[in-house]
Amino acid sequence: MANCALFMYGTIMVGLALFGRRNIEVVDGIIYRHMLRSTGFIALAWALHYLPFFLMGRSLFLHHYLPSAIFAYMMTAAIFQFGGIVDYPRFALKHWYGRARALVPPGVASMAFVAILTVHIACFVYFAPLTYGTTSLSPDEVNSRRWLESYDLHFQK
């Protein structure tokens, strides 16, 4: 879910750049600079924590990915703030038809927030025993928590 926010960030920035090349100002310049500087820093921090381990050919452990996950979750919050908060004037679209509006209507933003929160809590509860070792898992339970078949989880029981 958090990596989707990174993809959305890239899509938004490419879209804004394409509109900018055609002299179509979708968002105010202040908003664009704020988006570029604040979320750009988060995206750079994610890349600096994730890519070195992505390029390694040796065994990787969960603690290699956890620092980059923090920045991915920060990006989720930044993207949600950019697109879903109506009353935050820096994150409103240009005044179209006489009024500023958010990218996402308030009702949809509230439902999206509840859905994102529910998915994150469910994933945390499901993967917490594997990540933190809070409860004892059988070998079948450990293997059931693999996302991809190519993942090799090393454990001893």
Side-chain angles (χ1 to χ4, degrees):
M1 190 64 126
N3 289 331
C4 291
L6 291 162
F7 176 75
M8 287 175 57
Y9 168 74
T11 303
I12 289 169
M13 295 312 290
V14 167
L16 290 176
L18 289 175
F19 279 117
R21 296 281 293 166
R22 287 162 178 71
N23 291 327
I24 301 171
E25 194 175 69
V26 177
V27 295
D28 190 47
I30 296 171
I31 300 168
Y32 182 73
R33 282 193 308 274
H34 180 74
M35 185 75 174
L36 184 62
R37 290 177 183 164
S38 63
T39 54
F41 172 77
I42 295 170
L44 179 66
W46 172 83
L48 290 175
H49 283 85
Y50 182 78
L51 293 178
F53 296 109
F54 180 76
L55 299 173
M56 287 182 162
R58 64 182 181 90
S59 292
L60 297 175
F61 299 96
L62 188 60
H63 66 268
H64 291 125
Y65 296 109
L66 289 178
S68 64
I70 292 169
F71 292 107
Y73 285 118
M74 290 171 67
M75 183 64 77
T76 303
I79 292 297
F80 184 79
Q81 181 184 24
F82 179 73
I85 296 179
V86 180
D87 295 330
Y88 196 51
R90 289 189 296 169
F91 290 106
L93 284 172
K94 293 282 289 184
H95 292 275
W96 290 349
Y97 304 111
R99 65 182 178 89
R101 65 179 180 84
L103 293 171
V104 179
V108 175
S110 298
M111 289 188 304
F113 176 74
V114 169
I116 290 169
L117 185 65
T118 303
V119 168
H120 281 151
I121 290 172
C123 286
F124 176 79
V125 168
Y126 184 71
F127 288 108
L130 183 65
T131 305
Y132 302 111
T134 54
T135 59
S136 179
L137 297 174
S138 69
D140 290 334
E141 290 174 326
V142 170
N143 284 323
S144 72
R145 283 170 167 76
R146 288 190 301 173
W147 279 359
L148 299 174
E149 290 297 320
S150 63
Y151 289 176
D152 293 326
L153 299 178
H154 300 284
F155 57 91
Q156 184 175 357
K157 196 75 173 174

